[in-house]
Amino acid sequence: MAKEDVAQKDAAMELAEDARDAEWEFESFTAEMFRGDFRWDLMHPFPTQSEEDKKIGDELIEKLRPVMEELDPFELDRLGDENHPENKDYEDKSYNNPLPESFRQKLADLGLFGMKIPKKYGGLGLSISNYARVLTFVGSYCSSTVAWLSAHQSIGVPQPLKDFGTEEQKEKYFPRLAKGEVSAFALTEPDVGSDPARVHTTAIPSEDGKYYTLNGDKLWTTNGLAANLVVIMARTPDKVLPNGKKRPQISAFIIEMDWEGVKCERRCQFMGLRAIMNGVLTLKNVKVPVENMIGKPGMGLKIALTTLNTGRLGLPAAAIGSCKKFIDELEWWAGGRVQWGRAIGEHQSITRKVALFASDLFAMQSMVTLTCAFADQKNADIRLEAAAAKYFCSETVWKRLDDFVQIRGGRGYETAKSLYERGERPSGAELALRDARIGRIFEGSSEVMHLIMAREAMDTHFKLVMPILMPRPGQKDSKVSLIMKAAKFYMTWYPKTWMPASGDFKTKKLNSTNVAHLKFASKTCKRLARTLFHTMAKFGPKLETEQILFANFVDIGTDLFVMSSALSYAEHLMTQNPDDQTPQVLADLFCREARVRIASNFKAVRKNHNRLYKKVAGPLMEGKLHWLANDAYTELPPMYRDFEKNDYEHPTAPLPDSDN
């Protein structure tokens, strides 16, 4: 690796480390589990939503129902995909905006653009649980609409302003947002995805200290073309460390879209979510008052990560909705469609798909409901749980919707409009599958979720071992004292990972099947913690390159968390209604499937062929496998021939006070 690449990688890692919360203020079930401690007491009894708070959610959803029914989600998808080459006025917010203004206004009148904004500023001040319930409901009807609402308040201005804004900023912007002004979030750039150290958008302070001048380009700004306000991440002057090195500083600003120099260059169109207003923004000498900075200089990435901790819960909630809407159709089709003398749902290959659809939906509901309750009670650190919910739900929804399309056969692949015009019941399966695919990518791809969760899971070991192996500038403790501290911890902790799992689950009057699953989970979390430690000892600093092993560990931990959530939720539901044992069956099936996956992941950690991937991928990237494309048309279509992949460059602004 070139010296410049190493320096850039180190800068990125230091920036990420500085941005994350170094301390765990509250307990986390998943964090404790990765340390080998199965804290069933943190999630059982299952934390339920209060009747008073539930009533607020119930009433809002009932008010929302007739408003949603005015919208045709299939027509919205079609209109969102239309292109009007004669109209290129991207600054006109009505340009190719498929969402009817009358519908958007009704959402605003209900307060849906102020769900997270406190009541004192004109918002609804909903709990996280009710916010998730609303997004589940909207997501069950129209994924594009839920993206509008979620992007606006989960990653747009409301959440970061709520967590980090000044009182003056809140008084200025919250009332506007609560009334229906739209907000967006802009971090991604043409050359920047999950590596914020490469941000090129600059924010140069004026000599009099009254404003910053912003220059740069932002890509995939959801709501960008309809937004009034946008949170922009930009690079302020580098921080000079005691050793003379410079560290990139990313800061957050609120900009208004009608300011001079802010421009929407184009609207992006996608495979799914075709009715969202996602665009490319350019900033040219935009003067932003210093009072529009959120937090302090250099806090931008921390603000983004903190915002996403609770913001990520919107995505799994909406994903759950997209599965829930097909329960009725699944029941109707699997039970009523007859082939070879019996309902297709009675054929074992289809029976399995139907069962997994239901059990996985139950598990997703369990983990999201639980994590939202943790967030509302403010007595738990949910960074791992929120990441797990986003990761697990986005992956699982994609699999289950793909299964649903398979169950529906050709009718699942056919569009709703085509089915309707043929006189058959229209199905939204084709649209739902296209819309669901983005869930595995945005707000942190599944691969990034693996890395984020692995870092948090290894936090105890990183704090003890990494200062010894890779000392940071300004580190106070000597190497000897650090070694003694680590040795003292591991002499006590490591033997415990070999001891029998604790927890007398029988005294809790739990279902016997659930007790068996809980004993497995308790024993397995010790094995997980122990194996993590062994792997870290084996690879040392090189562990950061073992991303596939990280994924194996994260998948084990995620399955254990979801198993525990499902078991607790099942126990709660059966307590409420002892005559209904279906929650028990759903939880049992999910746990049995999860245990198979866990065994497979442990095996993959112990014995794998991960090195072989590089032996194949390397030659391909070097052009040595181009013969695989023989007899294929590999050129761009003629209408795109003016695009040359090797000479296309992204415009970038010079970096302030930087040698890079």
Side-chain angles (χ1 to χ4, degrees), residues 245-257:
K245 289 186 177 181
K246 296 178 180 179
R247 179 175 297 168
Q249 295 281 90
I250 310 300
S251 302
F253 300 87
I254 300 174
I255 69 165
E256 306 210 20
M257 289 299 292

Side-chain angles (χ1 to χ4, degrees), residues 97 304 409 504:
N97 185 349
D504 186 2

